[in-house]
mmCIF file of all heavy atoms in Angstrom:
data_model
loop_
_atom_site.group_PDB
_atom_site.id
_atom_site.type_symbol
_atom_site.label_atom_id
_atom_site.label_comp_id
_atom_site.label_asym_id
_atom_site.label_seq_id
_atom_site.Cartn_x
_atom_site.Cartn_y
_atom_site.Cartn_z
ATOM 1 N N ILE A 1 170.081 180.901 -138.838
ATOM 2 C CA ILE A 1 169.120 181.212 -137.786
ATOM 3 C C ILE A 1 169.661 182.159 -136.721
ATOM 4 O O ILE A 1 168.943 182.505 -135.800
ATOM 5 C CB ILE A 1 168.581 179.934 -137.116
ATOM 6 C CG1 ILE A 1 169.669 179.191 -136.358
ATOM 7 C CG2 ILE A 1 167.874 179.061 -138.098
ATOM 8 C CD1 ILE A 1 169.166 178.040 -135.537
ATOM 9 N N GLU A 2 170.884 182.605 -136.866
ATOM 10 C CA GLU A 2 171.447 183.521 -135.882
ATOM 11 C C GLU A 2 170.545 184.742 -135.760
ATOM 12 O O GLU A 2 170.182 185.382 -136.744
ATOM 13 C CB GLU A 2 172.847 183.938 -136.317
ATOM 14 C CG GLU A 2 173.560 184.784 -135.292
ATOM 15 C CD GLU A 2 174.968 185.110 -135.720
ATOM 16 O OE1 GLU A 2 175.457 184.552 -136.704
ATOM 17 O OE2 GLU A 2 175.565 185.946 -135.045
ATOM 18 N N ASN A 3 170.150 185.049 -134.528
ATOM 19 C CA ASN A 3 169.311 186.210 -134.208
ATOM 20 C C ASN A 3 167.915 186.133 -134.840
ATOM 21 O O ASN A 3 167.291 187.158 -135.077
ATOM 22 C CB ASN A 3 169.988 187.522 -134.615
ATOM 23 C CG ASN A 3 171.281 187.734 -133.868
ATOM 24 O OD1 ASN A 3 171.370 187.434 -132.682
ATOM 25 N ND2 ASN A 3 172.275 188.227 -134.559
ATOM 26 N N LYS A 4 167.442 184.949 -135.135
ATOM 27 C CA LYS A 4 166.082 184.785 -135.652
ATOM 28 C C LYS A 4 165.321 183.849 -134.728
ATOM 29 O O LYS A 4 165.901 183.137 -133.932
ATOM 30 C CB LYS A 4 166.098 184.219 -137.069
ATOM 31 C CG LYS A 4 166.677 185.171 -138.083
ATOM 32 C CD LYS A 4 166.505 184.655 -139.484
ATOM 33 C CE LYS A 4 167.077 185.660 -140.466
ATOM 34 N NZ LYS A 4 166.790 185.307 -141.835
ATOM 35 N N LYS A 5 164.015 183.838 -134.871
ATOM 36 C CA LYS A 5 163.170 182.978 -134.060
ATOM 37 C C LYS A 5 162.470 181.966 -134.949
ATOM 38 O O LYS A 5 162.172 182.242 -136.109
ATOM 39 C CB LYS A 5 162.123 183.801 -133.315
ATOM 40 C CG LYS A 5 162.704 184.725 -132.289
ATOM 41 C CD LYS A 5 161.612 185.482 -131.584
ATOM 42 C CE LYS A 5 162.213 186.449 -130.589
ATOM 43 N NZ LYS A 5 161.193 187.258 -129.936
ATOM 44 N N PHE A 6 162.211 180.797 -134.381
ATOM 45 C CA PHE A 6 161.434 179.788 -135.087
ATOM 46 C C PHE A 6 159.958 180.108 -134.979
ATOM 47 O O PHE A 6 159.483 180.558 -133.947
ATOM 48 C CB PHE A 6 161.657 178.391 -134.486
ATOM 49 C CG PHE A 6 162.944 177.758 -134.884
ATOM 50 C CD1 PHE A 6 163.985 177.647 -133.982
ATOM 51 C CD2 PHE A 6 163.116 177.247 -136.159
ATOM 52 C CE1 PHE A 6 165.170 177.048 -134.330
ATOM 53 C CE2 PHE A 6 164.306 176.646 -136.530
ATOM 54 C CZ PHE A 6 165.340 176.548 -135.615
ATOM 55 N N ILE A 7 159.235 179.863 -136.036
ATOM 56 C CA ILE A 7 157.771 179.931 -136.033
ATOM 57 C C ILE A 7 157.291 178.506 -136.192
ATOM 58 O O ILE A 7 157.686 177.805 -137.120
ATOM 59 C CB ILE A 7 157.262 180.806 -137.198
ATOM 60 C CG1 ILE A 7 157.774 182.233 -137.049
ATOM 61 C CG2 ILE A 7 155.744 180.764 -137.271
ATOM 62 C CD1 ILE A 7 157.583 183.089 -138.280
ATOM 63 N N VAL A 8 156.456 178.066 -135.258
ATOM 64 C CA VAL A 8 155.955 176.699 -135.289
ATOM 65 C C VAL A 8 154.664 176.671 -136.088
ATOM 66 O O VAL A 8 153.687 177.335 -135.744
ATOM 67 C CB VAL A 8 155.712 176.158 -133.859
ATOM 68 C CG1 VAL A 8 155.114 174.773 -133.897
ATOM 69 C CG2 VAL A 8 157.010 176.179 -133.058
ATOM 70 N N ASN A 9 154.659 175.886 -137.161
ATOM 71 C CA ASN A 9 153.474 175.735 -138.004
ATOM 72 C C ASN A 9 152.660 174.507 -137.637
ATOM 73 O O ASN A 9 151.512 174.397 -138.057
ATOM 74 C CB ASN A 9 153.884 175.642 -139.480
ATOM 75 C CG ASN A 9 154.526 176.923 -139.974
ATOM 76 O OD1 ASN A 9 154.142 178.016 -139.564
ATOM 77 N ND2 ASN A 9 155.514 176.803 -140.835
ATOM 78 N N ASP A 10 153.243 173.581 -136.901
ATOM 79 C CA ASP A 10 152.576 172.336 -136.532
ATOM 80 C C ASP A 10 152.825 172.070 -135.056
ATOM 81 O O ASP A 10 153.856 171.524 -134.678
ATOM 82 C CB ASP A 10 153.117 171.187 -137.401
ATOM 83 C CG ASP A 10 152.388 169.877 -137.182
ATOM 84 O OD1 ASP A 10 151.741 169.710 -136.123
ATOM 85 O OD2 ASP A 10 152.487 169.002 -138.062
ATOM 86 N N THR A 11 151.874 172.482 -134.221
ATOM 87 C CA THR A 11 152.070 172.345 -132.779
ATOM 88 C C THR A 11 152.087 170.891 -132.337
ATOM 89 O O THR A 11 152.767 170.555 -131.372
ATOM 90 C CB THR A 11 151.007 173.126 -131.990
ATOM 91 O OG1 THR A 11 149.705 172.694 -132.389
ATOM 92 C CG2 THR A 11 151.152 174.624 -132.209
ATOM 93 N N ASP A 12 151.356 170.016 -133.015
ATOM 94 C CA ASP A 12 151.407 168.590 -132.668
ATOM 95 C C ASP A 12 152.812 168.045 -132.879
ATOM 96 O O ASP A 12 153.332 167.295 -132.046
ATOM 97 C CB ASP A 12 150.408 167.778 -133.496
ATOM 98 C CG ASP A 12 148.965 168.064 -133.123
ATOM 99 O OD1 ASP A 12 148.726 168.518 -131.970
ATOM 100 O OD2 ASP A 12 148.084 167.846 -133.966
ATOM 101 N N TRP A 13 153.434 168.415 -133.983
ATOM 102 C CA TRP A 13 154.808 168.004 -134.258
ATOM 103 C C TRP A 13 155.747 168.525 -133.171
ATOM 104 O O TRP A 13 156.613 167.811 -132.681
ATOM 105 C CB TRP A 13 155.245 168.526 -135.631
ATOM 106 C CG TRP A 13 156.686 168.303 -135.919
ATOM 107 C CD1 TRP A 13 157.269 167.200 -136.446
ATOM 108 C CD2 TRP A 13 157.751 169.228 -135.676
ATOM 109 N NE1 TRP A 13 158.628 167.371 -136.558
ATOM 110 C CE2 TRP A 13 158.950 168.606 -136.082
ATOM 111 C CE3 TRP A 13 157.817 170.516 -135.161
ATOM 112 C CZ2 TRP A 13 160.189 169.230 -135.984
ATOM 113 C CZ3 TRP A 13 159.051 171.136 -135.067
ATOM 114 C CH2 TRP A 13 160.206 170.491 -135.478
ATOM 115 N N ALA A 14 155.566 169.778 -132.770
ATOM 116 C CA ALA A 14 156.415 170.389 -131.753
ATOM 117 C C ALA A 14 156.255 169.692 -130.404
ATOM 118 O O ALA A 14 157.241 169.445 -129.706
ATOM 119 C CB ALA A 14 156.106 171.877 -131.623
ATOM 120 N N HIS A 15 155.017 169.351 -130.038
ATOM 121 C CA HIS A 15 154.784 168.640 -128.780
ATOM 122 C C HIS A 15 155.402 167.243 -128.821
ATOM 123 O O HIS A 15 155.970 166.784 -127.827
ATOM 124 C CB HIS A 15 153.292 168.556 -128.464
ATOM 125 C CG HIS A 15 152.685 169.865 -128.084
ATOM 126 N ND1 HIS A 15 153.066 170.578 -126.964
ATOM 127 C CD2 HIS A 15 151.727 170.606 -128.675
ATOM 128 C CE1 HIS A 15 152.378 171.689 -126.889
ATOM 129 N NE2 HIS A 15 151.551 171.740 -127.919
ATOM 130 N N THR A 16 155.309 166.580 -129.955
ATOM 131 C CA THR A 16 155.915 165.255 -130.111
ATOM 132 C C THR A 16 157.432 165.352 -130.003
ATOM 133 O O THR A 16 158.071 164.503 -129.364
ATOM 134 C CB THR A 16 155.507 164.638 -131.468
ATOM 135 O OG1 THR A 16 154.088 164.534 -131.513
ATOM 136 C CG2 THR A 16 156.134 163.272 -131.664
ATOM 137 N N LEU A 17 158.013 166.373 -130.590
ATOM 138 C CA LEU A 17 159.459 166.586 -130.500
ATOM 139 C C LEU A 17 159.874 166.832 -129.050
ATOM 140 O O LEU A 17 160.847 166.250 -128.561
ATOM 141 C CB LEU A 17 159.870 167.760 -131.378
ATOM 142 C CG LEU A 17 161.345 168.140 -131.344
ATOM 143 C CD1 LEU A 17 162.232 166.997 -131.828
ATOM 144 C CD2 LEU A 17 161.581 169.392 -132.182
ATOM 145 N N GLU A 18 159.132 167.683 -128.366
ATOM 146 C CA GLU A 18 159.436 167.985 -126.971
ATOM 147 C C GLU A 18 159.348 166.730 -126.102
ATOM 148 O O GLU A 18 160.237 166.453 -125.293
ATOM 149 C CB GLU A 18 158.471 169.050 -126.456
ATOM 150 C CG GLU A 18 158.733 169.486 -125.039
ATOM 151 C CD GLU A 18 157.786 170.582 -124.590
ATOM 152 O OE1 GLU A 18 156.667 170.699 -125.135
ATOM 153 O OE2 GLU A 18 158.166 171.332 -123.679
ATOM 154 N N LYS A 19 158.304 165.952 -126.295
ATOM 155 C CA LYS A 19 158.138 164.701 -125.535
ATOM 156 C C LYS A 19 159.261 163.726 -125.869
ATOM 157 O O LYS A 19 159.788 163.045 -124.985
ATOM 158 C CB LYS A 19 156.778 164.079 -125.862
ATOM 159 C CG LYS A 19 156.510 162.739 -125.250
ATOM 160 C CD LYS A 19 155.998 162.869 -123.842
ATOM 161 C CE LYS A 19 155.507 161.542 -123.316
ATOM 162 N NZ LYS A 19 156.378 160.947 -122.338
ATOM 163 N N GLY A 20 159.658 163.661 -127.130
ATOM 164 C CA GLY A 20 160.711 162.751 -127.550
ATOM 165 C C GLY A 20 162.041 163.057 -126.896
ATOM 166 O O GLY A 20 162.728 162.155 -126.405
ATOM 167 N N VAL A 21 162.422 164.330 -126.864
ATOM 168 C CA VAL A 21 163.706 164.694 -126.262
ATOM 169 C C VAL A 21 163.665 164.488 -124.753
ATOM 170 O O VAL A 21 164.649 164.062 -124.143
ATOM 171 C CB VAL A 21 164.156 166.120 -126.648
ATOM 172 C CG1 VAL A 21 163.362 167.187 -125.943
ATOM 173 C CG2 VAL A 21 165.646 166.287 -126.386
ATOM 174 N N GLU A 22 162.524 164.748 -124.133
ATOM 175 C CA GLU A 22 162.387 164.497 -122.694
ATOM 176 C C GLU A 22 162.498 163.011 -122.387
ATOM 177 O O GLU A 22 163.189 162.624 -121.433
ATOM 178 C CB GLU A 22 161.064 165.043 -122.168
ATOM 179 C CG GLU A 22 161.019 166.552 -122.083
ATOM 180 C CD GLU A 22 159.657 167.089 -121.686
ATOM 181 O OE1 GLU A 22 158.699 166.287 -121.503
ATOM 182 O OE2 GLU A 22 159.531 168.314 -121.571
ATOM 183 N N ASP A 23 161.823 162.187 -123.156
ATOM 184 C CA ASP A 23 161.887 160.741 -122.944
ATOM 185 C C ASP A 23 163.307 160.215 -123.139
ATOM 186 O O ASP A 23 163.782 159.366 -122.378
ATOM 187 C CB ASP A 23 160.935 159.995 -123.893
ATOM 188 C CG ASP A 23 159.475 160.196 -123.540
ATOM 189 O OD1 ASP A 23 159.184 160.711 -122.435
ATOM 190 O OD2 ASP A 23 158.624 159.857 -124.388
ATOM 191 N N TYR A 24 163.993 160.715 -124.171
ATOM 192 C CA TYR A 24 165.355 160.277 -124.456
ATOM 193 C C TYR A 24 166.302 160.649 -123.317
ATOM 194 O O TYR A 24 167.041 159.804 -122.806
ATOM 195 C CB TYR A 24 165.835 160.881 -125.777
ATOM 196 C CG TYR A 24 167.281 160.585 -126.088
ATOM 197 C CD1 TYR A 24 167.734 159.282 -126.251
ATOM 198 C CD2 TYR A 24 168.202 161.613 -126.213
ATOM 199 C CE1 TYR A 24 169.068 159.015 -126.530
ATOM 200 C CE2 TYR A 24 169.532 161.352 -126.500
ATOM 201 C CZ TYR A 24 169.956 160.055 -126.649
ATOM 202 O OH TYR A 24 171.280 159.790 -126.919
ATOM 203 N N THR A 25 166.278 161.910 -122.870
ATOM 204 C CA THR A 25 167.187 162.317 -121.799
ATOM 205 C C THR A 25 166.803 161.682 -120.468
ATOM 206 O O THR A 25 167.682 161.333 -119.678
ATOM 207 C CB THR A 25 167.265 163.849 -121.678
ATOM 208 O OG1 THR A 25 165.960 164.393 -121.498
ATOM 209 C CG2 THR A 25 167.923 164.462 -122.908
ATOM 210 N N ASP A 26 165.505 161.489 -120.217
ATOM 211 C CA ASP A 26 165.080 160.792 -118.997
ATOM 212 C C ASP A 26 165.633 159.374 -118.970
ATOM 213 O O ASP A 26 166.097 158.896 -117.933
ATOM 214 C CB ASP A 26 163.555 160.748 -118.885
ATOM 215 C CG ASP A 26 162.952 162.079 -118.482
ATOM 216 O OD1 ASP A 26 163.708 163.006 -118.107
ATOM 217 O OD2 ASP A 26 161.705 162.199 -118.555
ATOM 218 N N MET A 27 165.593 158.682 -120.108
ATOM 219 C CA MET A 27 166.120 157.320 -120.194
ATOM 220 C C MET A 27 167.613 157.308 -119.865
ATOM 221 O O MET A 27 168.097 156.428 -119.132
ATOM 222 C CB MET A 27 165.877 156.756 -121.594
ATOM 223 C CG MET A 27 166.416 155.349 -121.836
ATOM 224 S SD MET A 27 168.130 155.227 -122.412
ATOM 225 C CE MET A 27 168.103 156.138 -123.940
ATOM 226 N N LEU A 28 168.347 158.299 -120.362
ATOM 227 C CA LEU A 28 169.777 158.373 -120.082
ATOM 228 C C LEU A 28 170.039 158.611 -118.598
ATOM 229 O O LEU A 28 170.886 157.949 -117.991
ATOM 230 C CB LEU A 28 170.424 159.476 -120.921
ATOM 231 C CG LEU A 28 170.424 159.261 -122.433
ATOM 232 C CD1 LEU A 28 170.937 160.509 -123.136
ATOM 233 C CD2 LEU A 28 171.244 158.047 -122.823
ATOM 234 N N PHE A 29 169.307 159.546 -117.997
ATOM 235 C CA PHE A 29 169.491 159.825 -116.571
ATOM 236 C C PHE A 29 169.097 158.635 -115.708
ATOM 237 O O PHE A 29 169.764 158.338 -114.707
ATOM 238 C CB PHE A 29 168.714 161.075 -116.153
ATOM 239 C CG PHE A 29 169.434 162.349 -116.441
ATOM 240 C CD1 PHE A 29 168.938 163.232 -117.387
ATOM 241 C CD2 PHE A 29 170.610 162.678 -115.788
ATOM 242 C CE1 PHE A 29 169.597 164.424 -117.664
ATOM 243 C CE2 PHE A 29 171.286 163.856 -116.060
ATOM 244 C CZ PHE A 29 170.770 164.735 -116.997
ATOM 245 N N GLU A 30 168.027 157.953 -116.055
ATOM 246 C CA GLU A 30 167.614 156.778 -115.282
ATOM 247 C C GLU A 30 168.697 155.714 -115.284
ATOM 248 O O GLU A 30 168.955 155.072 -114.264
ATOM 249 C CB GLU A 30 166.300 156.220 -115.824
ATOM 250 C CG GLU A 30 165.108 157.082 -115.471
ATOM 251 C CD GLU A 30 163.826 156.646 -116.174
ATOM 252 O OE1 GLU A 30 163.796 155.551 -116.762
ATOM 253 O OE2 GLU A 30 162.856 157.428 -116.123
ATOM 254 N N ALA A 31 169.357 155.518 -116.415
ATOM 255 C CA ALA A 31 170.444 154.540 -116.495
ATOM 256 C C ALA A 31 171.603 154.954 -115.584
ATOM 257 O O ALA A 31 172.212 154.110 -114.924
ATOM 258 C CB ALA A 31 170.919 154.384 -117.934
ATOM 259 N N VAL A 32 171.894 156.256 -115.524
ATOM 260 C CA VAL A 32 172.967 156.745 -114.656
ATOM 261 C C VAL A 32 172.583 156.548 -113.193
ATOM 262 O O VAL A 32 173.386 156.099 -112.378
ATOM 263 C CB VAL A 32 173.284 158.229 -114.948
ATOM 264 C CG1 VAL A 32 174.203 158.829 -113.889
ATOM 265 C CG2 VAL A 32 173.904 158.370 -116.328
ATOM 266 N N TRP A 33 171.345 156.875 -112.854
ATOM 267 C CA TRP A 33 170.906 156.775 -111.462
ATOM 268 C C TRP A 33 170.880 155.329 -110.973
ATOM 269 O O TRP A 33 171.083 155.079 -109.800
ATOM 270 C CB TRP A 33 169.542 157.423 -111.286
ATOM 271 C CG TRP A 33 169.575 158.911 -111.491
ATOM 272 C CD1 TRP A 33 170.613 159.760 -111.227
ATOM 273 C CD2 TRP A 33 168.539 159.718 -112.030
ATOM 274 N NE1 TRP A 33 170.281 161.052 -111.560
ATOM 275 C CE2 TRP A 33 169.018 161.060 -112.060
ATOM 276 C CE3 TRP A 33 167.254 159.457 -112.498
ATOM 277 C CZ2 TRP A 33 168.249 162.111 -112.518
ATOM 278 C CZ3 TRP A 33 166.493 160.518 -112.960
ATOM 279 C CH2 TRP A 33 166.980 161.828 -112.965
ATOM 280 N N GLU A 34 170.583 154.384 -111.887
ATOM 281 C CA GLU A 34 170.596 152.976 -111.501
ATOM 282 C C GLU A 34 171.999 152.539 -111.125
ATOM 283 O O GLU A 34 172.178 151.631 -110.322
ATOM 284 C CB GLU A 34 170.042 152.103 -112.632
ATOM 285 C CG GLU A 34 168.548 152.227 -112.808
ATOM 286 C CD GLU A 34 168.036 151.436 -114.002
ATOM 287 O OE1 GLU A 34 168.834 150.690 -114.606
ATOM 288 O OE2 GLU A 34 166.852 151.571 -114.321
ATOM 289 N N GLY A 35 172.987 153.158 -111.736
ATOM 290 C CA GLY A 35 174.368 152.903 -111.386
ATOM 291 C C GLY A 35 174.896 151.533 -111.728
ATOM 292 O O GLY A 35 175.921 151.106 -111.229
#
């Protein structure tokens, strides 16, 4: 994939992926902030 771009064929899948990574990293940060 060096110097190439992804073409998204399934936008629902892409939105689910984006939400998933946001939820995962948010959970990690919340645990850190709780201390």
Side-chain angles (χ1 to χ4, degrees):
I1 66 172
E2 185 177 350
N3 298 321
K4 293 188 179 187
K5 294 181 182 177
F6 283 107
I7 298 168
V8 177
N9 295 325
D10 186 339
T11 56
D12 290 336
W13 173 86
H15 290 297
T16 301
L17 178 61
E18 183 178 25
K19 175 84 170 107
V21 74
E22 287 174 358
D23 289 348
Y24 175 61
T25 55
D26 285 350
M27 178 272 300
L28 295 173
F29 277 113
E30 287 172 12
V32 169
W33 293 329
E34 287 176 7

